[in-house]
Amino acid sequence: MEIPTYVWLLTIVGILGLLAFDFFFHVRKAHEPTLPEAAKWSAIYVGLAVVFGVGVLLFGGPTLGSEYFAGYITEKALSVDNLFVFLVIMASFKVPRADQQKVLLFGIVFALIARTGFIFLGAALINSFSWLFYLFGAFLIFTAIKLLKPEEESDDANNFVIRLAKRLFKTTDKYDGDKLVTVENGKKVLTPMLLVMVAIGGTDLLFALDSIPAIFGLTQNTFIVFTATAFSLMGLRQLYFLIDGLLDRLIFLSYGLAAVLGFIGVKLVLHALHENTLPFINGGEHVPVFEISTGLSLLVIVGILTITVMLSLFSPAGRAHTVISDAGAQAKKYIEHDYKGDDVARETTYARVLEREKQIAGLAPKYQEKAADDEELAERLAKAHELRGTQSADSKGLN
């Protein structure tokens, strides 16, 4: 189905308008979003994506509508996985909480530009060389297998591009608000804010290599690919602050994404066989194989992701991971948060630390052992108890 030019223009203007609104009304003035603010705007952006999808369903028909929703859900799941890496990068560079919004918005804009380029390049190649479906399918299956293999965590902040930038340009380790360049000892130097944006941008390029073949496995309509990708990125900034601290509880997310990518990879290979023109496969003739419909794809993707989240949150391993993770998060909050004299909030946080320690003691032995081996958790809990003792002593001294 050909999409009229005016629909393309209106869609692009609308997306650019949303990005401009996000910048001028939320990001321009540095601040840390509250949980209600992040939840409200995350819901608004998901709502806009759903409304747009309903419009596609009504005006484009059930096939285009199903393709859009399958693409949107897949890309949203992959974008959530991206947030894990964003968290690592932010932590590595120690980006101030209030300034993280600008970094994330830059990442979203850069990802949108990069993926748009890949989309039109991919569409042009596919129209000319249908055998590329074989390559896309094989690449997604390879990516799925890689996700199943545990890898040591790497420090994305110290990748080649960052090391090269530090070597070629004068940099400082100190932030100057959200400025990219500052003056130190009378000389202009690059701040870590610029370097973290370079790291985010490089990461976005790598993620696009998985993302674009995945959605082309669900639809070859360029408009649907573009809009599903764009709407999946919109609201990613708010989602970051909404689920920050919850992401590491989705312990089976990598397995769910591996299943989704593997499924789409198989779908692509089957489609390539159905459209085959390669002379060394079936004499260059189409191969009569079963093709997976878009409706079935949507059901499988939603089912896999639902099962993944439910297992992560409610299985014994998931519940144990949640308790252990939250114990560290509450201890960190107690140590670092500025309560500004709010003793009730401070006491509530410390009570949560004690409650999580009690819950850890009630876990199965293998999970208790896992918690005991977590050096970072032990250090945070020790600091929280030490700080509590100091504050109690100070309070007695005042009395």
Side-chain angles (χ1 to χ4, degrees), residues 141-216:
I141 293 171
F142 170 74
T143 304
I145 294 171
K146 270 190 70 177
L147 280 173
L148 294 175
K149 293 181 178 179
E151 296 181 358
E152 292 184 5
E153 292 185 7
S154 60
D155 188 353
D156 293 86
N158 290 320
N159 62 32
F160 172 75
V161 176
I162 298 302
R163 293 198 302 271
L164 184 63
K166 287 183 175 181
R167 183 174 299 177
L168 295 178
F169 304 102
K170 294 179 180 178
T171 62
T172 178
D173 294 327
K174 297 179 181 178
Y175 285 92
D176 185 6
D178 57 9
K179 293 180 181 178
L180 305 181
V181 179
T182 188
V183 176
E184 189 174 75
N185 298 325
K187 296 180 180 180
K188 286 187 177 181
V189 292
L190 303 180
T191 70
M193 184 63 70
L194 180 60
L195 297 180
V196 73
M197 286 186 174
V198 171
I200 292 285
T203 302
D204 282 331
L205 283 176
L206 293 176
F207 279 129
L209 296 177
D210 293 342
S211 169
I212 299 308
I215 193 168
F216 268 119

